[in-house]
Amino acid sequence: MPGRTPLPRSPLALLDNCHRVETPEGIDLVLKPAGLVPRALAFAIDLVLRAAILLVLGSLLAMLGQFGAGFGAILLFVVQWWYMVLFEVLNQGRTPGKQWLGLRVVHDDGTPVGWGASLVRNLLRFVDLLPFGYLFGALSCLAHPSFKRLGDIAAGTLVVHRERPAAPPALPEVAPEAAPVRLTLDEQRALIAFSERHAGLSAARREELAGILAAPLGTPPALAERRLHAIARGLLGQA
């Protein structure tokens, strides 16, 4: 529509760092990438579990002499390199550590991680370990918008927070209103997201976002928040 100021290209990026993908059916899938701290904690839990497994098996195999030593070397390889892969592929992308922290591994398009991708991301873990203490992996996580380490970038995978069913947030109680101009799908999503999340935003942040979102509507700043909530209710068909 001529004369209308468009919203920023990705208004939802102002609210969070969610990873959004569109399924072949045209459905938006919102994934929440896990940051460095929960990923490190999950890895630490898995590291302790692997050490415990090796300690128990090593104690038992020590009683078998040379045969036990040879078999122990095989088990060491299996536990060290296949523990993560087997759990990720056979347990919906969750090792015990990830499951404890509410995380899972998926492909970039949100589909369950497969054998090939899991093998790549875990075999390249030795690169993330360089030069010491997971430095390359930590720097990659901090620099990447979706907190990917190098193995994830190569494998096309994400570590995300597991979805938990939740009731949709209540919108503020205002009379619904139709948008005065034609809104794009992204603009509609941004208005609804703002209204749904307003309670978790500071007054200054609400004022800033409301000014940006209400600009195409020609609404005075003092009335921006209330009108955005009214239009959001109208878009959702809430009376």
Side-chain angles (χ1 to χ4, degrees), residues 12-47:
L12 289 176
L14 297 168
L15 297 174
D16 54 35
N17 65 333
C18 291
H19 181 84
R20 308 179 73 87
V21 295
E22 186 174 345
T23 67
E25 295 79 16
I27 300 172
D28 267 352
L29 186 63
V30 181
L31 305 174
K32 298 183 68 175
L36 178 60
V37 173
R39 291 185 62 165
L41 291 174
F43 180 76
I45 293 172
D46 286 320
L47 191 63

Side-chain angles (χ1 to χ4, degrees), residues 14-15 193-195 197-207 209:
L14 297 168
L15 297 174
F194 171 77
S195 193
R197 305 176 193 181
H198 79 285
L201 301 172
S202 67
R205 186 62 169 158
R206 288 200 308 270
E207 182 179 350
L209 292 173

